[in-house]
Amino acid sequence: MTAMTTNVQGQLEIGGVSTGELTAAYGTPLMVYDEDMIRRNARAFRESFIESGLEFQVAYASKAFMCKEMVRLAEEENLSLDVVSGGELYTALEAGFPAGRIHFHGNNKSEEELVMALEAGIGCFVVDSFLELELLHELAKEREQQVNILLRVTPGVEAHTHDYIMTGQDDSKFGFGISTGQADRAMQIALCKPHYNVLGIHSHIGSQIFELDGFQQAITVLSDFLQSVRLECEVTLPVLNIGGGFGVRYTEEDKPLPISEYVKAITDCVKESFGENGYPLPEVWVEPGRSIVAEAGTTLYKVGSKKIIPDVRTYVSVDGGMTDNLRPALYGAKYHAVLANRPNEECTELVSIAGKCCESGDMLIWDLKLPPVNFGDTLAVFSTGAYGYSMANNYNRIPRPAVVFVKDGESRVVIERETYADLVRLDR
Ligand code: LLP
């Protein structure tokens, strides 16, 4: 959640721009990103790794929020890029991102997507299934290309998070299980394929994780796995990718660690586990998405109708909802909000914030304390920067909002507001 700043008129301000100015210029709903905060988060990852002394790559997980300008920012901050679809890959290439720093994920990459990535000459494929292991190699052979791969493995670790965003357990659609022996078999196949340059392994245990023990347990399992590969196959693989998943603050209840502490715990654990096995210290790759962009994003909505049900509840409706932020409906995710035009006024009303979709479940926040709220007020919902716009949709044919970056008192559009004409563009 962004530390709140107000200007002399008593309005909420983001990146030195008043929210009143932003809504007047761009309308609502509006997604506003504090560009400096994104850059600070990116730098915090890189600086903490530099301090660890280990070789590393920080790949921004573009699924959290992607547009061409975000890709350019990632490039400027020396990040690599994790993509999971042809669409994300296309966006990265269109923005001129260096292909050699792109990593391609996904449990069901299509042949077309694999070809597109081969032709672009991307840096690394994270191979997720036996099918892909064969298919990618065939395609690389046809093109007489050598490709770098990591094998995605599931270490059997259950992260403390929502079931839908937990990925490291044995019962997962992703990767090769270590405990089932599938990871071992996949590795032996991969190492025999002449067009593969096997760099190492990848694991991602889940998302919005606060505790360090899940990462530490995973690293121990992964380190033992790499050691067994070393002993059985006589290869010392140099890369360990431990994915993303670092938690952020949505409400006061969330207590994430600073980025530097996540990185320190990971790099310390790598040094210890690999050191104990006498394994040369690997290059450590991470893939943060949420922790780079979530808290940098704020959504501004205009308040519309208010329904007071005496002794039950007051519903305050806004001009967006599950179309621009699916997370409350999908995961029961919690958010905090203030009135952007009167953020310092005393909160005397208890209200629930409803979206405008034809769906009772389209609620953004239950039981929020606000000053007496009226038609025309602006509601600012904090920490909406990750998996908000990227999961936005056109339910009820509602156009997706505009997205702006703000910095040093200036704002600029990075994604235009969708128009009604855009909505019918593909209709025949
Ligand atoms: N690497 C891999 C392989 C992943 O699957 C993910 C997220 C990440 C990195 C980035 O994780 P992060 O640092 O952002 O936690 N839509 C859900 C989150 C889904 C996460 C999917 N994978 C949500 O809104 O909470």
Side-chain angles (χ1 to χ4, degrees):
M1 224 164 48
T2 321
M4 205 169 74
T5 354
T6 41
N7 62 14
V8 280
Q9 288 87 35
Q11 285 193 348
L12 179 70
E13 198 178 80
I14 308 169
V17 189
S18 89
T19 46
E21 217 173 282
L22 290 168
T23 55
Y26 306 108
T28 53
L30 183 69
M31 285 243 28
V32 183
Y33 280 92
D34 177 340
E35 184 178 334
D36 279 338
M37 192 185 293
I38 305 180
R39 291 183 188 274
R40 276 200 304 278
N41 292 337
R43 285 173 203 173
F45 273 103
R46 286 186 47 83
E47 282 159 13
S48 312
F49 269 106
I50 290 169
E51 209 159 289
S52 78
L54 294 178
E55 295 291 315
F56 69 94
Q57 268 194 51
V58 178
Y60 169 61
S62 54
K63 73 202 84 174
F65 168 65
M66 189 185 215
C67 64
K68 291 205 270 184
E69 196 54 26
M70 182 61 212
V71 172
R72 290 182 203 114
L73 188 157
E75 213 255 302
E76 284 167 18
E77 293 299 331
N78 294 310
L79 303 179
S80 299
L81 206 64
D82 147 7
V83 302
V84 289
S85 70
E88 288 186 355
L89 175 58
Y90 181 81
T91 308
L93 296 172
E94 279 286 296
F97 197 86
R101 276 175 23 214
I102 298 178
H103 309 164
F104 196 3
H105 272 282
N107 61 307
N108 191 26
K109 305 174 188 80
S110 70
E111 185 167 336
E112 291 73 24
E113 288 174 321
L114 292 173
V115 168
M116 183 178 169
L118 282 168
E119 285 177 354
I122 66 156
C124 179
F125 291 80
V126 185
V127 176
D128 204 297
S129 68
F130 287 108
L131 173 72
E132 186 185 351
L133 204 51
E134 296 302 328
L135 181 60
L136 175 62
H137 191 261
E138 275 309 301
L139 296 169
K141 192 164 136 194
E142 278 167 24
R143 285 165 182 74
E144 297 178 5
Q145 254 176 281
Q146 276 309 115
V147 293
N148 292 330
I149 66 162
L150 294 178
L151 286 190
R152 175 152 184 177
V153 302
T154 40
V157 170
E158 306 216 343
H160 312 284
T161 188
H162 193 287
D163 281 359
Y164 286 9
I165 51 177
M166 196 164 91
T167 45
Q169 72 283 14
D170 289 330
D171 182 2
S172 161
K173 74 167 181 171
F174 297 106
F176 302 100
I178 292 185
S179 68
T180 57
Q182 292 188 334
D184 217 13
R185 196 147 60 84
M187 184 57 83
Q188 287 178 13
I189 297 171
L191 289 171
C192 293
K193 302 236 184 242
H195 289 269
Y196 281 159
N197 175 24
V198 184
L199 297 181
I201 55 175
H202 169 283
S203 123
H204 169 81
I205 57 172
S207 201
Q208 184 62 353
I209 299 170
F210 296 114
E211 290 88 1
L212 296 171
D213 59 334
F215 294 110
Q216 288 160 332
Q217 281 172 36
I219 290 167
T220 311
V221 175
L222 300 169
S223 148
D224 289 347
F225 178 76
L226 283 176
Q227 175 71 348
S228 74
V229 171
R230 187 180 190 216
L231 298 176
E232 281 166 35
C233 311
E234 296 181 356
V235 286
T236 305
L237 300 176
V239 175
L240 175 70
N241 186 332
I242 55 116
F246 316 106
V248 303
R249 180 188 298 213
Y250 288 99
T251 70
E252 294 292 330
E253 288 166 26
D254 299 321
K255 307 257 183 293
L257 296 169
I259 287 169
S260 58
E261 284 190 34
Y262 286 115
V263 175
K264 181 156 184 351
I266 285 164
T267 50
D268 282 354
C269 186
V270 165
K271 288 175 189 166
E272 197 183 311
S273 304
F274 285 77
E276 273 171 17
N277 285 336
Y279 195 103
L281 289 181
E283 211 174 288
V284 179
W285 295 8
V286 287
E287 297 166 339
R290 191 189 311 269
S291 49
I292 303 247
V293 289
E295 295 184 42
T298 304
T299 309
L300 303 177
Y301 299 99
K302 189 170 168 206
V303 170
S305 66
K306 186 170 178 180
K307 176 179 177 183
I308 302 167
I309 312 172
D311 303 323
V312 178
R313 181 182 299 284
T314 297
Y315 285 94
V316 169
S317 294
V318 295
D319 55 355
M322 66 191 290
T323 42
D324 56 82
N325 188 358
L326 197 54
R327 301 190 72 258
L330 195 56
Y331 314 115
K334 296 200 171 118
Y335 286 87
H336 180 60
V338 300
L339 284 189
N341 49 321
R342 293 181 280 126
N344 296 323
E345 219 174 281
E346 200 188 341
C347 294
T348 51
E349 276 192 359
L350 187 67
V351 300
S352 290
I353 308 297
K356 66 177 274 136
C357 291
C358 280
E359 186 97 12
S360 300
D362 180 22
M363 293 296 300
L364 287 173
I365 304 176
W366 293 100
D367 298 330
L368 173 72
K369 287 200 101 178
L370 285 182
V373 47
N374 302 309
F375 168 74
D377 280 330
T378 302
L379 187 80
V381 180
F382 295 117
S383 299
T384 56
Y387 306 106
Y389 193 88
S390 65
M391 297 203 298
N393 59 83
N394 292 128
Y395 184 46
N396 295 163
R397 290 239 149 176
I398 293 171
R400 286 176 300 171
V403 183
V404 298
F405 276 14
V406 291
K407 179 178 160 59
D408 301 332
E410 304 281 335
S411 65
R412 65 204 165 103
V413 175
V414 296
I415 307 181
E416 296 285 350
R417 180 177 303 285
E418 220 168 15
T419 64
Y420 291 141
D422 291 329
L423 295 177
V424 296
R425 189 173 60 87
L426 303 173
D427 294 3
R428 292 294 172 263

